[in-house]
Amino acid sequence: MSNKECLIFQLIAILFLVAEITSKFEFTNVMCTSLDKEFGDFEHCYLKSVNRSYKYVSVKYNLLKSPVTKIKVNLAMFKRFNGYRPFMYNVTVDACRFLKNRKSSPVINFWFNVIENYTNFNHLCPFNHDISLEKLPVETVNFQVTDVLPFPEGDYLIETNWIAYDIKRAELKFYGTIS
Ligand SMILES: *[C@@H]1O[C@H](CO)[C@@H](O)[C@H](O)[C@H]1NC(C)=O
Ligand SMILES: *[C@@H]1O[C@H](CO)[C@@H](O)[C@H](O)[C@H]1NC(C)=O
Ligand SMILES: *[C@@H]1O[C@H](CO)[C@@H](O)[C@H](O)[C@H]1NC(C)=O
């Protein structure tokens, strides 16, 4: 490499670094759908902006058929190009097995680390109570997706499907932007 090429290369590297450090995640929407209202339904599901620096997501699902001893979670990520397209992940785990051994799925564990302190889903099976995710700060997600594992800029959708006894019961969609 000539000195000039070397300098250009360094400049580009610095630009990337700066872009990464200043990138920011924002939730833009959260949507919850119960696909089987006899099994359970959402009591609430919203994104709230308290002020410019404090925004959070709260979700509460009332479980009507408890206890639940068999549950699978599918997590698929999409990125918007020309419409939302599958991007990077599409994984399904047996939640009971995962909760016993968190290392069994690094992808699910990455996201579980984000929500763990804000949910009552953080114990071993069975589940015999309503499931909630309360006041998950956007800042926590921001740290995980821009510092822990930097994602490229863009609009994202994280879709989660909740499958109990091999039937899809609920769908949660988290929309966000990294800019
Ligand atoms: C935003 O609201 C939170 C919670 O009420 C508060 O602790 C924080 O100081 C507020 N931040 C600003 C910049 O007003
Ligand atoms: C994820 O994979 C499953 C099983 O291979 C498939 O049925 C499903 O359609 C996929 N989801 C997405 C969003 O691609
Ligand atoms: C969750 O709480 C534990 C213990 O208080 C703390 O060490 C950890 O950093 C928290 N994780 C997140 C993502 O906030």
Side-chain angles (χ1 to χ4, degrees):
M1 240 193 290
S2 71
N3 274 349
K4 198 175 161 197
E5 276 171 5
C6 186
L7 186 67
I8 289 171
F9 182 78
Q10 279 179 1
L11 274 176
I12 290 172
I14 288 167
L15 280 178
F16 269 106
L17 210 63
V18 169
E20 221 162 70
I21 288 165
T22 59
S23 72
K24 189 160 172 57
F25 173 83
E26 284 287 351
F27 272 122
T28 51
N29 202 2
V30 51
M31 282 171 65
C32 308
T33 312
S34 168
L35 303 170
D36 179 351
K37 294 198 170 164
E38 289 186 2
F39 191 83
D41 204 357
F42 291 94
E43 186 177 310
H44 59 243
C45 171
Y46 60 84
L47 170 64
K48 185 175 166 81
S49 292
V50 176
N51 53 38
R52 280 194 66 181
S53 54
Y54 182 44
K55 297 190 176 75
Y56 64 77
V57 167
S58 282
V59 174
K60 186 169 183 199
Y61 179 78
N62 295 324
L63 185 62
L64 303 174
K65 294 272 167 71
S66 71
V68 177
T69 56
K70 201 176 164 202
I71 180 159
K72 281 187 200 152
V73 179
N74 165 258
L75 184 150
M77 195 156 102
F78 298 77
K79 189 172 191 292
R80 195 160 81 179
F81 294 99
N82 193 355
Y84 284 94
R85 303 274 175 81
F87 182 76
M88 277 172 70
Y89 310 132
N90 175 10
V91 293
T92 303
V93 294
D94 176 322
C96 297
R97 221 178 285 162
F98 168 77
L99 290 162
K100 260 192 235 162
N101 178 13
R102 302 258 303 260
K103 290 194 183 109
S104 62
S105 174
V107 170
I108 298 290
N109 201 30
F110 176 85
W111 295 106
F112 194 70
N113 281 339
V114 177
I115 67 164
E116 143 168 63
N117 291 353
Y118 304 94
T119 183
N120 64 355
F121 193 76
N122 55 2
H123 63 78
L124 299 182
C125 289
F127 287 91
N128 56 6
H129 53 73
D130 297 341
I131 309 286
S132 63
L133 173 66
E134 291 299 332
K135 298 191 173 176
L136 168 69
V138 171
E139 207 36 54
T140 307
V141 183
N142 191 19
F143 176 73
Q144 192 82 345
V145 299
T146 60
D147 288 24
V148 177
L149 180 66
F151 281 75
E153 286 186 4
D155 295 328
Y156 291 90
L157 159 61
I158 296 165
E159 187 183 284
T160 62
N161 292 297
W162 298 76
I163 304 150
Y165 305 105
D166 294 319
I167 298 169
K168 199 169 141 181
R169 312 287 178 161
E171 189 180 83
L172 256 87
K173 291 181 174 177
F174 298 93
Y175 291 86
T177 299
I178 297 177
S179 53

